[in-house]
């Protein structure tokens, strides 16, 4: 099947728009998760029990949204930017850092290092925020 030049150009534009939609969707996911990471860990590690329950329920809702959003019609592509993929993996690793440090401190009996956990909570979302910004901006 041969395409005219106009039809081929229309198809290229359609595919470009699908890729842009997919990048934006994954960018939204990473930005939201990166921004939610700090408050999540503050609530889980430094807040009262009720704050941990609210944060846990909120995180479950966020993960469900993360799984549903890319599967909407028109967003079935894959994002394969190597730099963003590495940043997303780094974001996953840094997401767990506050928990590991807080658990280690609790096992060691050190309760006065809450400031360290608070700083780790702030830093833990930065890779996901950066990766989300890169995807949203098309870089």
């Amino acid at each position: 099947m041969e395409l005219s030049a106009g039809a081929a150009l229309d198809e290229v534009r359609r595919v470009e728009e699908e890729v842009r939609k997919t990048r934006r969707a994954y960018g939204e996911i990473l930005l939201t998760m990166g921004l939610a990471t700090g408050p999540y860990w503050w609530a889980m590690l430094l807040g009262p029990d009720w704050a941990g329950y609210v944060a846990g329920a909120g995180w479950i809702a966020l993960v469900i949204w993360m799984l549903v959003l890319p599967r909407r019609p028109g967003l079935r592509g894959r994002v394969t930017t190597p730099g963003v993929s590495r940043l997303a993996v780094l974001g996953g690793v840094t997401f767990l850092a506050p928990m590991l440090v807080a658990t280690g401190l609790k096992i060691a009996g050190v309760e006065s290092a809450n400031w360290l956990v608070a700083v780790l909570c702030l830093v833990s979302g930065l890779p996901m925020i950066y990766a989300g910004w890169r995807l949203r901006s098309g870089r």
Side-chain angles (χ1 to χ4, degrees):
M1 173 175 136
E2 289 224 12
L3 291 177
S4 66
L9 187 57
D10 288 342
E11 181 64 13
V12 167
R13 287 185 181 136
R14 184 190 66 75
V15 170
E16 281 179 343
E17 184 57 31
E18 284 184 28
V19 169
R20 257 192 298 281
K21 283 181 187 178
T22 302
R23 288 178 64 95
R24 278 190 294 249
Y26 282 105
E28 288 172 13
I29 289 169
L30 288 171
L31 276 172
T32 302
M33 291 189 78
L35 291 171
T37 297
Y40 170 80
W41 282 122
W42 281 335
M44 293 297 283
L45 300 175
L46 304 175
D49 287 343
W50 66 266
Y53 298 133
V54 171
W59 199 264
I60 289 169
L62 186 60
V63 168
I64 290 169
W65 173 72
M66 176 189 75
L67 294 172
V68 170
L69 181 68
R71 284 158 181 79
R72 290 184 311 181
L75 296 179
R76 298 192 188 274
R78 290 182 42 191
V79 178
T80 57
T81 307
V84 171
S85 298
R86 283 190 295 270
L87 283 169
V89 168
L90 179 61
V93 170
T94 59
F95 174 78
L96 296 174
M99 181 190 66
L100 296 174
V101 170
T103 302
L105 291 172
K106 191 172 276 194
I107 289 171
V110 179
E111 295 293 332
S112 62
N114 285 345
W115 63 270
L116 177 63
V117 175
V119 169
L120 281 173
C121 290
L122 272 177
V123 172
S124 67
L126 292 178
M128 286 185 277
I129 292 169
Y130 182 67
W133 171 76
R134 294 265 318 254
L135 280 174
R136 297 266 311 148
S137 66
R139 296 178 186 199

